[in-house]
Amino acid sequence: MKITDIISALDAKHPGESEYRQAVMEVLVCIEDIYNQHPEFEKAAIIERLVEPDRIFTFKVPWIDDKGKVRVNLGYRVQFNNAIGPYKGGLRFHASVNLSTLKFLGFEQTFKNALTSLPMGGAKGGSDFSVRGKSNAEIMRFCQSFMLELWQNIGANTDIPAGDIGVGGREIGYLYGMYKKLARENTGTFTGKGLDYGGSLIRPEATGYGALYFIDKALAHHGHQLKGKTVAVSGFGNVAWGACLKATELGAKVITISGPDGYIYDPEGIEGEKIDFMLELRNSGEDIVAPYADKYPSATFYANKRPWEQKVDIALPCAIQNEMNEQDAQQLINNKVLCVGEVSNMGCTTAATDLLIEHKVIFAPGKAVNAGGVATSGLEMTQNAMHIQWSAQEVDSNLKEIMSKIHDQCVKYGSQDGGAYVNYAKGANIAGFMKVANAMMAQGVV
């Protein structure tokens, strides 16, 4: 495999798709050695087949706002790879959504889902529609129009969408309601559903919970413990909320959260009612964190800055892709950060990731550390298929076990220096790739 040739061919076919290129490059660099040990992969053109989605649906989504004006957005569904199970991945409603972002997310999802050991392929979708500033009625009309185009291409054994940025319980409800009406069936076609109609307990918290289970095990593997450590968290949505809850429960102190307006530094720790207040901020529709400092005198608000300038033991990007750059990583290294975990998808730039690994920081990549969300979605699918609902304790126990197994796979393929350090990025990519590649080999050229 010549990485330069593959990337050049990708650039020629898909110019300008920088996020997608970054995701592919990161995987290829990690798997190059093991790929070249398997000539059968080269003969079957596994890489050339893996980097292209199975199919992409692009469609217009017309809807009417509360003033009676017709609006039009673009909708997408990228069904990337179903070698190990039906397509599975979230829907993102955000003004920044484009095809490059969704292809990167679908590509990542393929390997992330493989790491969970659950039978799920990779997909992603969404729209450049933003829920911010929209009424419930406008969001409902948009979701119904979106589903009118998508419903025939998804299903419980075909493609199971879920939530992502801009798509929470409300949006899933509207999407699933329309799907159910059109398909005339009540199945587990969506995950992230409400508890009253097939949802799973602890699903909203699951990404953050799973991330801290992984971080806890990674620290222990390197001779450290989470208890007593200080943690910087970015974001203030469901993912950050779950991370703050579980970090606090496991004995760490979270001292930052952030939003588009800047970040909050609270040296007393963000716990208890302060974590509950994060939900109030998120649900306010303002999309800002500054009011936290008005409510709690112990906190300081830093406008238009990111939390990585604070001295902490653990840094957890929980907001969006590429939110931590090389300069941020260097600042964390200068402050002797112990661990960085990408709780958001591809939360670090390539340069930041390389720098952290070069300095032997414990770096947990998104496809491993944030797999708890989709893992719990997989558990929701199982509950739907069995027509039962597990207790929160049962779901949490299964989640913890899945994250432990993901950690072990990363250690198997990523151990360096005689096992003294684990390159989790390399380990996660190889473990996920090998499972998908072997499944593709077994099924022939299809």
Side-chain angles (χ1 to χ4, degrees):
M1 173 177 66
K2 292 185 178 179
I3 294 176
T4 53
D5 291 347
I6 294 170
I7 293 298
S8 294
L10 210 61
D11 287 342
K13 285 191 285 186
H14 310 291
E17 296 186 353
S18 58
E19 296 89 353
Y20 179 46
R21 184 188 195 278
Q22 179 184 344
V24 172
M25 186 66 138
E26 188 240 344
V27 171
L28 295 186
V29 168
C30 290
I31 69 168
E32 182 177 15
D33 290 343
I34 199 164
Y35 184 88
N36 289 331
Q37 294 170 20
H38 291 269
E40 68 274 19
F41 291 169
E42 186 79 24
K43 184 177 180 181
I46 290 293
I47 287 297
E48 289 81 357
R49 290 158 57 198
L50 249 179
V51 299
E52 294 290 350
D54 289 346
R55 65 192 61 83
I56 299 172
F57 301 105
T58 306
F59 48 93
K60 66 182 178 185
V61 187
W63 57 282
I64 301 173
D65 68 19
D66 288 342
K67 295 180 180 179
K69 184 176 180 179
V70 176
R71 307 273 188 173
V72 181
N73 288 93
L74 283 177
Y76 307 90
R77 187 63 176 173
V78 179
Q79 293 179 337
F80 217 102
N81 186 289
N82 67 348
I84 63 173
Y87 302 106
K88 182 82 189 79
L91 295 171
R92 177 176 293 191
F93 291 170
H94 193 270
S96 66
V97 164
N98 57 39
L99 192 54
S100 174
T101 298
L102 295 179
K103 285 171 69 177
F104 124 61
L105 290 168
F107 184 71
E108 283 276 294
Q109 197 78 48
T110 299
F111 303 110
K112 182 190 305 184
N113 291 358
L115 286 172
T116 69
S117 297
L118 299 173
M120 301 181 294
K124 210 72 180 184
S127 173
D128 57 356
F129 171 85
S130 176
V131 299
R132 185 178 181 183
K134 307 293 194 305
S135 70
N136 284 338
E138 288 174 324
I139 292 169
M140 181 181 71
R141 288 193 290 270
F142 173 83
C143 288
Q144 290 174 342
S145 181
F146 185 92
M147 194 46 53
L148 277 171
E149 286 297 325
L150 188 61
W151 75 275
Q152 294 184 80
N153 299 302
I154 61 176
N157 295 306
T158 306
D159 183 352
I160 305 94
D164 194 80
I165 294 172
V167 180
R170 172 184 58 181
E171 290 75 22
I172 291 293
Y174 294 150
L175 290 163
Y176 183 65
M178 192 62 172
Y179 171 81
K180 185 164 59 73
K181 184 177 181 67
L182 293 166
R184 298 188 178 184
E185 60 180 20
N186 204 326
T187 65
T189 300
F190 276 82
T191 57
K193 301 185 294 297
L195 292 176
D196 293 330
Y197 60 99
S200 175
L201 289 161
I202 80 162
R203 176 60 189 90
E205 308 97 313
T207 302
Y209 276 24
L212 268 298
Y213 288 144
F214 188 98
I215 296 296
D216 191 36
K217 189 150 188 185
L219 289 172
H221 185 83
H222 288 84
H224 305 283
Q225 60 177 356
L226 183 58
K227 186 176 181 180
K229 298 295 189 294
T230 53
V231 182
V233 168
S234 67
F236 68 111
N238 271 349
V239 174
W241 171 61
C244 290
L245 280 171
K246 187 56 67 173
T248 302
E249 181 186 315
L250 295 176
K253 181 194 284 189
V254 178
I255 59 174
T256 74
I257 55 173
S258 72
D261 54 333
Y263 78 91
I264 293 291
Y265 171 64
D266 188 345
E268 291 187 1
I270 300 170
E271 59 181 345
E273 69 170 42
K274 294 177 179 179
I275 296 178
D276 296 336
F277 186 62
M278 288 172 63
L279 297 183
E280 293 182 37
L281 287 174
R282 186 192 64 197
N283 295 330
S284 69
E286 294 297 320
D287 203 22
I288 55 175
V289 294
Y292 182 106
D294 298 330
K295 186 174 178 66
Y296 298 107
S298 60
T300 304
F301 173 65
Y302 293 86
N304 303 315
K305 290 189 174 183
R306 292 180 286 200
W308 318 127
E309 63 186 13
Q310 293 295 336
K311 181 176 174 58
V312 291
D313 300 309
I314 300 166
L316 302 177
C318 295
I320 200 165
Q321 69 266 13
N322 291 328
E323 57 178 296
M324 183 184 291
N325 61 30
E326 186 176 10
Q327 290 71 35
D328 297 324
Q330 186 61 63
Q331 195 156 22
L332 287 166
I333 291 166
N334 293 344
N335 286 333
K336 302 189 184 308
V337 71
L338 179 62
C339 174
V340 174
E342 287 183 310
V343 193
S344 55
N345 289 303
M346 206 166 71
C348 299
T349 64
T350 301
T353 298
D354 291 344
L355 191 63
L356 291 166
I357 293 173
E358 178 188 337
H359 284 80
K360 298 298 176 69
V361 173
I362 301 169
F363 174 73
K367 61 172 57 70
V369 79
N370 71 29
V374 73
T376 306
S377 286
L379 298 176
E380 181 178 330
M381 291 162 58
T382 300
Q383 293 170 77
N384 290 167
M386 297 171 68
H387 300 285
I388 60 173
Q389 185 178 67
W390 292 330
S391 68
Q393 290 76 17
E394 288 175 295
V395 177
D396 197 30
S397 176
N398 281 319
L399 171 61
K400 189 173 183 179
E401 182 179 357
I402 288 170
M403 297 310 297
S404 178
K405 289 179 178 178
I406 292 174
H407 177 269
D408 293 345
Q409 291 178 72
C410 293
V411 171
K412 176 182 177 181
Y413 289 106
S415 291
Q416 297 178 347
D417 303 332
Y421 177 75
V422 178
N423 184 335
Y424 287 101
K426 184 174 183 178
N429 279 311
I430 292 175
F433 166 75
M434 289 300 292
K435 182 168 183 178
V436 176
N438 286 331
M440 292 174 68
M441 288 294 299
Q443 295 168 32
V445 181
V446 293

